[in-house]
Amino acid sequence: MTQEERKKFDAFQRQLNESPANRINFFAGMDEECAIANTPYEQWALQSEYENKAICKHLGIEYRKEDFAVSAEGLAKQWAGGLPDME
């Protein structure tokens, strides 16, 4: 995904998150249904993947799973970046 495509994706996702009515209408109009998982974590992952695919399809962006993968180390660094320095 290019930087321009990522900006479009993030802006549209933000728009959906800020307006529950728009979010409901957008996902209600999708042809596919999200799969059901055995655990809450698996369900969250499937729901996220479903939503990402739907947004990419709507924007005409090719969905690639690796564009949405975050390493545990990267996530930890992102989280720790917001903590105050304890020096």
Side-chain angles (χ1 to χ4, degrees):
M1 180 181 298
T2 66
Q3 287 183 339
E4 182 181 322
E5 289 173 335
R6 188 59 183 200
K7 286 179 184 178
K8 286 172 51 177
F9 178 90
D10 290 342
F12 189 73
Q13 187 177 44
R14 190 175 317 107
Q15 180 184 0
L16 292 176
N17 289 337
E18 290 173 353
S19 174
N22 285 345
R23 183 176 182 80
I24 290 169
N25 287 333
F26 177 76
F27 289 112
M30 299 275 73
D31 295 335
E32 299 178 28
E33 290 189 25
C34 186
I36 305 297
N38 295 326
T39 67
Y41 179 77
E42 288 175 359
Q43 187 62 40
W44 171 80
L46 288 171
Q47 182 70 28
S48 294
E49 185 175 345
Y50 166 78
E51 290 178 6
N52 291 340
K53 284 180 180 179
I55 293 171
C56 284
K57 182 178 179 181
H58 175 73
L59 296 174
I61 299 170
E62 178 185 353
Y63 175 82
R64 293 184 313 181
K65 197 170 189 168
E66 59 269 11
D67 288 335
F68 298 96
V70 178
S71 71
E73 182 179 333
L75 188 59
K77 286 180 181 179
Q78 182 181 7
W79 174 81
L83 297 174
D85 290 335
M86 301 298 273
E87 292 181 29

